Amino acid sequence: MRGLKTETMRRWVAASDVVRVEGRVTRVAGLTIEATGLELPVGALVELDSHGGTVQAEVVGFAEGRARLMPLHEPAGVAPGARVLATSGRLRVPVGDGVLGRVLDGLGAPLDGRGPVEGPRVPVDGRAPSPLTRGLVDAPVGTGIRAIDGLLTLGRGQRVGIFAGSGVGKSTLLGEIVKGTTAQVCVVALIGERGREVREFVEHTLGAEGMRRTVVVAATSDTPPLHRLRGALTAVAMAEHFRDQGKDVLLVMDSVTRYAFAAREVGLAAGEPPTTRGYPPSVYTLLPKLVERLGTGARGSITGLLTVLVEGDDLQDPVADILRSLLDGHVVLSRRLAERAHYPSIDVLASVSRTMTQVVSPAHRRAAQRVRELLATLEGSRDLVEVGAYRAGTNPRLDQALKLQDGARRFLQQGAGAAVPFARAVAELEALAEKAPA
């Protein structure tokens, strides 16, 4: 009889996804809150009584009969002995057409003052599609950026990292891509950004035209680390919903490095040991899970553009290094080019798209190869030419490249608000390649 009651209770819990369990706060240490009386799994949501109302938190671990919680909001007002009440199994966020044109926080709540978001809700901790059900990356996706579409063509469902230091035009480039892309839906995740930049990105960088098919998820730098961590997953869950409807989605995350920072804070607070640069082992598990949830599905696709902050322009940073191995290509923004007012400051020779050969025509591929060779010739002799040590006629190939450098510079540079259609970018590339030395 007792076994029957236990099984009945287990089925009820599984069906309702709600567990009414109550505990008490015993300790607050740094980012974590410890409570007794909670027999809940990792990831379960709870509410804590505080002097200012309630604080939502999540179970991140347990030890010695106490659950370790991390708040999703500021825990001010939580006192010893405060009641902790289990609320639901997992964090769920709204998805569907109702989120388009909206600005939401990392938990899916509206930030734009336009009322609640209508639509179904899904858990944020989804799973990557099976490798054998994924569609092939076999069609290009236009970005409106001539240098990318011509020389670093992205495939529909590709995951690409934009590697950049601070102040080299990263946010502007992302906004131009969102406005100029051929994707049907855009999901923008601003993780760990300054609060000032959110409104600027929405109103100035994207504008009304860019927001029409876009949802912005913003978890600013002042939010708790778990809020930032969940903000990235909220954006991915929304993108997955549109992909499962057969749509082509562009997911822009700025930045995945700050997602890793948040994961480091959560892991260390939960008691994990630090490894390289203080990152706990869980970071190296979370990053592949995040990346693999993007890409093609059985029907639609998620093309991922994830910005990677390189501290001191060091491309060997641990997060940058692991992401370079996980992603399907990388676009490097150069501080040297930005200092010369060369925008977008894309270092074409340091960048690569691993799926380009699968999504472009043979003529496009040959044109891109010739122009890359032209740029390599110019770069290899740049110091020699700039100091005036090169004499014309010494190297016929370099002489021809020097004649074409202004045309190459015009092709690679592009002003804000001047999106170039994909077909036109390819035509201009092929015209430049015809003049390049064979």
Side-chain angles (χ1 to χ4, degrees), residues 266-346:
V266 171
L268 293 177
E272 289 189 70
T275 58
T276 308
R277 299 246 183 131
Y279 290 103
S282 61
V283 172
Y284 301 101
T285 301
L286 291 174
L287 287 175
K289 286 184 177 180
L290 178 74
V291 171
E292 286 301 316
R293 287 177 63 180
L294 312 181
T296 55
R299 298 173 61 195
S301 66
I302 301 175
T303 303
L305 288 180
L306 313 179
T307 66
V308 183
L309 297 177
V310 286
E311 299 180 11
D313 297 332
D314 179 16
L315 293 177
Q316 304 309 315
D317 175 87
V319 172
D321 195 42
I322 189 174
L323 284 169
R324 200 163 34 241
S325 67
L326 294 173
L327 297 169
D328 305 318
H330 52 272
V331 176
V332 177
L333 302 188
S334 166
R335 188 172 301 280
R336 174 178 57 82
L337 292 176
E339 290 171 348
R340 296 180 179 183
H342 182 293
Y343 293 107
S345 56
I346 298 173

Side-chain angles (χ1 to χ4, degrees), residues 363-380:
H364 183 173
R365 185 166 57 249
R366 288 192 297 269
Q369 181 65 27
R370 292 190 68 178
V371 172
R372 289 181 74 97
E373 291 173 354
L374 164 67
L375 297 174
T377 300
L378 291 171
E379 181 62 24

